[in-house]
Amino acid sequence: MKIACLNDLEDYAKGALDSNAMNYYSSGSQDMITLRDNQNAFDRYQIRPRVLRDVSKINTNFELFGQKFDYPIFIAATAMQKMAHVTGEVGSVRAANSRNINYCLSSISTSTIEEVGKAAEQVSNNTRLWFQLYIYNDKNKTLDLIRRAEASGFKAIILTVDTPYLGRRLPDIRNPFKLPSHLSLINISSAKQDFDSQTLKSGENSSWLARYFAENINPSLTWDDLVWIKSVTHLPIIVKGVLVAEDAKLCVKYGADAIIVSNHGGRQLDSIPATIDSLAEVVAAVNSKIPVLLDGGVRKGTDVFKALALGATAVFVGRPNLWGLAYNGEDGVKLMLDLLFEEFRLAMALSGCTSLSQINENYIKASPYFASKL
Ligand SMILES: Cc1cc2nc3c(=O)[nH]c(=O)nc-3n(C[C@H](O)[C@H](O)[C@H](O)COP(=O)(O)O)c2cc1C
């Protein structure tokens, strides 16, 4: 069967990946309420389309931090991509950069920062790369990551703030998740990662990755750490994992250059709002001072359109990148992106918008079906 949309790629990946990888990639935390809601919530909004406008030319370009992008659709940081395809992060970054959009590399990737930087350079002389940072207990390890990202041409640092501890992902506990032995979290090879989840003590009912976080990642971060990161790099700092107005205002106060409204793809705290439901609150709090981006549950062109109408500058896809890799490596990720681009262009045209700047709150409303249930 021909792949027609991103959900078809997910169906394919379910049959292609082993259960260790599939459980890790697909799961959310606890009852996965937030995971499901991330996608379902988009259906609670409707687009208000305008007609009889010349939509023969659609322009999806925009600029952010002085860089031009062909679409407001980026690839989110997801860990350990070599479980999906042998090329892993290199396949993904090649796909994203060949389409002139951003690729975000996870701190806990299975390809090095340098390999990913080089791979991007091979397909574009204007590389589009952001580095996602976890702050390690050892500040020197953290600084080392930042310096290597700078030296490899990364253009911004994404500071993930929703992961002081790893969320409780039941499939990874029931079938203890373990990174296959031929792979490693290669960027910080000195970080402790050789424990075996089979031997976790009872009561330490967590996965290998939860243990990695407990051993290595600093849970004592505060807003002062944002100030510290700003002081050690010239790169823009984007805070990822903000859902409420109070924190959005603090981001502005402490000097964040942008915010990503994110709940980590429903993998951290369960029973928190879907990202599209949190977007308007954050956008209002930020009051146009810094750009607001969004990830979580974006699977269709209309999802992208709705997020932009509610004030997002751009959106990210996380899992679809992994499904694209599982389907056909770099070409599978290109296919995933091209499908989403095509859907988004059509959503724009059929809504009567020919450029991103025209998409605003006049084009969206709450679905009357869901509004009547409130
Ligand atoms: C398998 C997987 C691994 C992830 N790894 C990271 C990570 O290393 N760092 C991070 O900040 N977010 C990570 N995320 C969260 C993503 O950056 C993003 O917030 C999320 O995937 C967006 O939701 P979506 O998958 O529905 O598109 C991960 C998500 C998944 C599914």
Side-chain angles (χ1 to χ4, degrees), residues 2 5 22 24 61 66 70 101 103 125 151 196 205 221 223 227 245 247 249 292 335 341 365 370:
K2 209 168 164 194
C5 64
M22 194 63 199
Y24 171 67
N61 297 345
D70 282 2
I101 59 139
Y103 175 73
N125 36 26
D196 181 351
N205 194 6
L221 299 189
W223 293 98
V227 175
D247 285 339
K249 285 184 182 154
V292 176
L335 172 67
F341 295 162
K365 66 176 181 130
F370 290 106

Side-chain angles (χ1 to χ4, degrees), residues 77 79 106 132 134 160 240 262 264-265 267 295-297 299 318-319:
S106 166
Q132 178 273 323
Y134 283 128
T160 299
K240 172 174 184 274
S262 172
H264 216 109
R267 292 160 78 80
D295 72 29
R299 301 291 180 270
R319 292 177 183 83

Side-chain angles (χ1 to χ4, degrees), residues 144-194:
D144 177 57
L145 287 175
I146 295 173
R147 295 285 169 260
R148 289 169 58 198
E150 288 168 347
S152 296
F154 286 72
K155 306 284 183 355
I157 302 286
I158 300 175
L159 176 65
T160 299
V161 293
D162 58 12
T163 318
Y165 300 97
L166 201 75
R168 207 170 157 72
R169 303 163 192 172
L170 303 184
D172 291 343
I173 298 173
R174 292 190 185 113
N175 308 292
F177 169 71
K178 179 90 174 81
L179 187 62
S181 55
H182 67 286
L183 300 175
S184 71
L185 305 185
I186 198 164
N187 281 323
I188 302 208
S189 49
S190 61
K192 187 164 166 38
Q193 56 182 294
D194 58 356

Side-chain angles (χ1 to χ4, degrees), residues 22 29 40 61 66 89 92 102 139 141 176 234 269 300 333 343 364 372:
M22 194 63 199
S29 55
N40 293 339
N61 297 345
E89 293 82 0
S92 303
N102 250 328
K139 263 197 172 169
K141 286 192 176 127
H234 62 278
L269 184 61
K300 297 176 285 188
V333 181
E343 289 180 6
I364 193 157
S372 70

Side-chain angles (χ1 to χ4, degrees), residues 202-314:
S202 67
E204 244 181 5
N205 194 6
S206 55
S207 70
W208 172 83
L209 190 61
R211 181 79 180 272
Y212 179 88
F213 268 72
E215 296 273 348
N216 298 297
I217 304 295
N218 184 349
S220 70
L221 299 189
T222 67
W223 293 98
D224 292 338
D225 293 281
L226 173 54
V227 175
W228 174 70
I229 294 204
K230 290 264 326 163
S231 75
V232 297
T233 180
H234 62 278
L235 294 178
I237 305 296
I238 301 162
V239 179
K240 172 174 184 274
V242 171
L243 288 171
V244 301
E246 298 90 314
D247 285 339
K249 285 184 182 154
L250 288 168
C251 283
V252 174
K253 178 175 166 190
Y254 284 94
D257 296 286
I259 289 175
I260 304 178
V261 173
S262 172
N263 52 34
H264 216 109
R267 292 160 78 80
Q268 285 300 107
L269 184 61
D270 198 17
S271 254
I272 59 177
T275 50
I276 192 71
D277 286 337
S278 305
L279 180 60
E281 171 176 340
V282 171
V283 167
V286 162
N287 198 14
S288 304
K289 293 197 182 89
I290 52 175
V292 176
L293 301 100
L294 170 138
D295 72 29
V298 175
R299 301 291 180 270
K300 297 176 285 188
T302 48
D303 298 340
V304 181
F305 187 93
K306 289 172 186 180
L308 266 57
L310 287 168
T313 300

